[in-house]
Amino acid sequence: MTQVDPALDVLNRALSGDDSALSFLDRTSSIYILDATDPYKPKTYGGWNFIHQAMNEIERNEAGSGNTGLVAHVQLLATMAQRLARRSPATDRGLVATCITNAAQYHASEAEAEALISLNSEIREIVMGRIAAMAFDFSFHNQQNTRKSAFSDNVSMEKLCSVLAVNAVASGPNAINHFMKEWIIPSLSSLPPFAVACVTYHLAIEAQSKTSPAGTREILQSLSYAVVGYVIAPLLAHSIGESSYPPNYGWNCRVASISLRALERWCTVTDLSLPQIKHICAKQQVNFVVVISDALYSDSDLVVEAMAELLEVCIRTNKEAKVSKERMTQARYIMEVDEDAFRSITAEDLFRIEAKEMEDVLTELITAVGLQRIRFSERQAKGDHGVCRNLARIGATIGSAALAGLLSGQISGGASGLLELLMKAGAHPHIHISSIAIVVLYQLLPVDSTFSPRLLPLLQHRAIIPYVLNGTVPSLAAGASGGIDFYEFENFRQNVLVEALLSCYEQNSKYYMDSCTSAVEEFCSSSATVEVSFQLEAALFCLSAVALSVNKPFNKNDQGENAHSQQLSRCTTALSTKPVFLPANPLALAQLNRFIGMYGSWYTSFASPQALNVAFELSVSTINMSGTAFSDREPASEMLKEMAVTPFSEAAKATRILLVRSPKSFATQNAISLLASAWETSYIATNRGMLTIEDREELCKGICCVVASLADDEREKSYHAFAMPVVECLHTLTKQADAAKDQGVGRLTPIIPKLADELRLLSTMVKSFSSALAKASIGNASKHYSSSSFTMQASVELLKKLWPCLSHIAASFSSDKHISASLGFFLVGCVPTQLENEDAVGFVRELFSLSSSMIPDTNTSKAPLLAVYEFVERVIDLHGSKIEATARVLAGNATAVSSTTAHEVGKQLEDTILSSVLSTKGSLGTAWTRDKEQGQGQSAFESKCKPVAEEKPTDPDSLAAIFTMLTSAAENCPTFLVYLPATEGGDRDNDKLISRAIESSVAVLVEPDFELARTAILFLISVMKLIASAEALVLRGALDIVLSRVRGTLVAILIAGICGGLHPTLLDPAATLLYQILRTCPPQDAASLYEPALQQEQFKLGDSARIASAKFLSLCCTGEVTDMSLMSFAEEVWDLHQHDGARSLAESDRVVAFMEKIAVGLV
């Protein structure tokens, strides 16, 4: 490269990552520049000019110096040409015309402008001609040449071929037809096979683009017979046959691979089926099934992978009862009849014909693929995992598609060879290969009654976690032996093995349980070693995998016992020996406790008391181990670090399940003593990092159930004794926090999370004990005994002693996110479910007082507010109906006597809401900070008053929590919400909180925080549903005032968002909101909402689609289409707008299909 090669210099700098060079290439690809320095010889310069110049410079360099190090430059240039070629010639002409029109110093006549436009078109044609000449020149495909051009590189050549295909598609259906029928097909014998295959492949790929011109798909369908019969099939047959010979083995494999991929893409875009391909090839004297059967013997991973992808696309499961419109069109073109003659064939007729032909094809393929079982073993022995993986994919595809035919007997000949291949694949050491086969193997179990006993041992072996032993020390080795790491292996077991094991169980449950039970007994023997612990873990995993099926109520024998009680009792007896290797293997210990938890219902319903005690002692003993086991010095600690769920977490969960399901079984002195020991150990284990707060909560819930089941004279005393460690720990940690607070944040940091955990544990204890007491009291004759005040009484006595401490924590430390979250958890969990007397109201009053003390005076911390809003939402959820009744009376909308207690709670609720909003309103945006509603009630953009600068919310979390809280209020106490003032003591008629909330929710829809937008949308949906409710007639007027100001803006934002601006997870709620707006707005105003919205620049589907969309939205207004249809409409429109913008969406194939769908209501 010399200094006189400016284009190559730009490419070289771009490849080095130079920003200016990359920017230049981007601009050159996007716009044209007019050079009118010489007004008598003006010229335009753009992408095609640059490519033309660069190609000249590359050829000159290669011819002069023999420089072949320009492969990357050619590939970058070809990528640029692809981008340019996606613009249609008409679009290119328009860009040049715009360039000339916008020129400030040059005013061309119409003839001069047309000459410049034509000159640019000629440059494009010249460049395309040069690319075609290279792509179809055999000298660029001669693998024996010692001197190669950068243009002859395989990747470069494929990119150049793709430019030709892209240009044909961009030029329209007629250009595609001309390109294939007038150029490729007639000259096939004189063109390089690789280039022809590449062009065909990329033609189909480009036709799949969302912006491919209307008619592209149908023109490809019309070409299917010629392309498959005259181009792809001969290329494939020849390259597969020649790929066995050494001279051009690699090249022929590439041709075969790209031919298979071309066929696969062509089938995808045209909906061409395998029977149709077979029919086309038969007319050309090519047996397609034989050809692809021969391809299976290729040693090239490229060929076998392409074959796997082709079969996955072409082989249908035929579960659909009808044939698509596109398939019908493709069939008509293959039959070479016009539309009138084709009308006699129905979709059902075509379905039946193709289903029968597919069965014939599958019968042949089952035999052909079954023959690969020997070759699979050979390739596995050579370490060719790529070929093995793709053979497994092919076998799985064939097996899945043939399943129904094999079961019904319509596909004869059996599938022993195919099953053998899949079994070999299922046993492959690499899980990525094994899982492909296993997914299909268990579906094929009903095909052969003797197959289940063969498959189960394979699955049991696959369940063993890969490990290695260094002497007697085990460690994980999933990455070394299984091709994946431990987490991926666990994912494989849960998502693949579990389904397969369930199928084996359903096929022969007794054999399954007997096999697993025998394994457990063997691995728990006294002679078992630590190595066996991994086999025991796998056996327990297999038992846990089917626990839900085993525990089904109807799974009983004639004596009314569980059908597998005998096997489960044997397992429990074996486990009661507590194998010595368990403490050395946390994986086995965790699986043991998971097994106990999964079979908790059996232990508490069917098992003997001895078996239940064994399970209880095993789980509790594991918890007691957490205080000392697996120290950093122990080798097993490394294994523990890899585990997502520790054995102690599983033990806590298993213990909770046993205690909750049968609390009275453990109300003995011995059991309570064991639980007390476990509870004490939990504090030691927490300090060691072995138990999380979630684990302690699990244990706490179980113990609460046991305590609640005790006799009346023991219950309260035991409860307070159980709670005492928490109370003492809270006092101690609070004192430590007070002392550390004065010494700096560093001293306080380690204390705060512990304090937060104890607060959460206290909340769990109060809530769980109350729930357990209520459950234990069911059936008691005394209504008072089962009331909420009774169930909370013991906890209230406990909390009275703690309340000063809790208030101090709330006032001093609630600014910390950990403390505020735990206080919120406490407040939410302690809200009484009933307000039946003064005690309950008094307790709620204390909770409101505690929440108020958390509200900050400044904007320094938002964490406490989230907890307060959660508490308020809980109060509304539980008592909103009572508050609503009181609010209606106060508003004059009802005459019934309201509840005094509900009135007090409503007043406290209002004070808390307003004070919390006031404390953070400065960070919520303009709608919350203005003094009152704009002007005479107009929105900010309509008011005649001096406009206020729009402020964006800086605290999205608090604002989202406010929207969530108000959504609950709209659903549970709408009158209370509608008459809530915006400020404390404010005007309930002219300055409503809901007005500000609605304006704020509309404003945040354009914010990038999609979680905030979601809460805003859900709030607006609740308001719209409120308007539509017959019960809210008296509120409609107040709501309509504010909604009338924002409805148009809201519809415009929603439609713009549906056109690609919204996060995809917001599409359904946004469509629901839009539907509610259209259904609730006055009919005469509906069109004035959606028609301007569809005129926005974000809608890029063209005028025809705009008219069709407006018609569809009009049907939403009248309720002729459902909200589900509008959701589908929104998804379609959003998806259509996800494109690179190189070509216009308007009048594309996809848009035309979209308009057809909404015209007949199929969205």
Side-chain angles (χ1 to χ4, degrees), residues 1061-1084:
L1062 282 174
H1063 191 276
T1065 60
L1066 298 180
L1067 288 176
D1068 282 356
T1072 301
L1073 175 58
L1074 180 58
Y1075 189 82
Q1076 292 289 338
I1077 295 171
L1078 296 177
R1079 291 288 288 130
T1080 56
C1081 75
Q1084 65 274 14

Side-chain angles (χ1 to χ4, degrees), residues 415-695:
S416 58
L418 176 63
L419 289 174
E420 191 65 32
L421 169 67
L422 290 172
M423 286 290 288
K424 289 179 180 290
H428 195 281
H430 278 219
I431 300 302
H432 290 312
I433 298 172
S434 177
S435 59
I436 294 171
I438 290 174
V439 167
V440 178
L441 276 170
Y442 71 77
Q443 299 177 41
L444 294 170
L445 281 173
V447 173
D448 187 346
S449 58
T450 64
F451 186 43
S452 179
R454 292 181 57 204
L455 180 60
L456 181 57
L458 184 150
L459 299 178
Q460 290 170 328
H461 178 73
R462 293 268 57 156
I464 300 173
I465 297 173
Y467 66 94
V468 293
L469 281 177
N470 297 320
T472 59
V473 178
S475 61
L476 299 176
S481 60
I484 57 176
D485 60 26
F486 174 69
Y487 299 104
E488 290 176 303
F489 183 82
E490 280 290 278
N491 186 57
F492 158 73
R493 288 210 305 184
Q494 294 299 327
N495 296 322
V496 177
L497 271 189
V498 167
E499 290 295 326
L501 290 167
L502 277 170
S503 294
C504 283
Y505 171 82
E506 291 167 2
Q507 192 73 12
N508 190 337
S509 60
K510 185 178 185 306
Y511 173 80
Y512 183 100
M513 295 298 290
D514 283 341
S515 175
C516 293
T517 300
S518 297
V520 171
E521 290 175 328
E522 178 186 350
F523 301 142
C524 286
S525 64
S526 58
S527 60
T529 63
V530 68
E531 184 176 3
V532 175
S533 63
F534 288 93
Q535 280 87 334
L536 174 62
E537 193 274 344
L540 291 172
F541 170 82
C542 293
L543 285 168
S544 297
V546 299
L548 293 178
S549 296
V550 172
N551 290 329
K552 285 180 179 177
F554 55 80
N555 197 0
K556 298 179 181 179
N557 56 23
D558 295 337
Q559 288 75 40
E561 299 176 344
N562 186 284
H564 302 299
S565 286
Q566 183 181 3
Q567 293 101 323
L568 292 174
S569 295
R570 287 166 53 195
C571 286
T572 305
T573 301
L575 293 170
S576 67
T577 61
K578 297 182 181 179
V580 294
F581 55 69
L582 279 177
N585 190 337
L587 289 166
L589 192 60
Q591 197 61 249
L592 164 65
N593 285 279
R594 188 176 298 125
F595 167 81
I596 294 171
M598 293 299 293
Y599 285 97
S601 63
W602 176 81
Y603 279 114
T604 55
S605 302
F606 298 103
S608 65
Q610 293 81 7
L612 177 59
N613 285 332
V614 167
F616 172 69
E617 290 177 7
L618 284 171
S619 62
V620 173
S621 65
T622 304
I623 296 174
N624 285 326
M625 286 176 58
S626 64
T628 56
F630 305 124
S631 66
D632 291 339
R633 295 187 299 274
E634 296 180 42
S637 64
E638 293 301 317
M639 201 183 305
L640 189 67
K641 293 175 184 177
E642 294 285 333
M643 298 173 63
V645 182
T646 69
F648 311 122
S649 296
E650 293 289 359
K653 188 184 300 181
T655 303
R656 188 261 303 163
I657 291 172
L658 295 177
L659 299 182
V660 170
R661 294 187 66 89
S662 184
K664 291 186 178 180
S665 299
F666 306 101
T668 64
Q669 189 63 39
N670 181 56
I672 291 175
S673 176
L674 287 173
L675 289 173
S677 174
W679 188 241
E680 183 179 347
T681 301
S682 70
Y683 280 85
I684 301 172
T686 300
N687 292 330
R688 295 183 67 228
M690 291 296 178
L691 280 178
T692 65
I693 180 60
E694 291 79 13
D695 302 332

Side-chain angles (χ1 to χ4, degrees), residues 23 51-52 56 82 128 257 288 331-332 368 741 808 914 1101 1149:
S23 176
I51 292 173
H52 187 44
N56 289 336
Q82 279 180 323
M128 296 308 301
S257 169
F288 183 69
R332 175 169 61 83
K741 189 175 182 180
H808 177 70
L914 295 182
L1101 306 187
D1149 248 351

Side-chain angles (χ1 to χ4, degrees), residues 392-403:
R393 288 173 62 190
I394 293 168
T397 300
I398 302 297
S400 180
L403 177 60

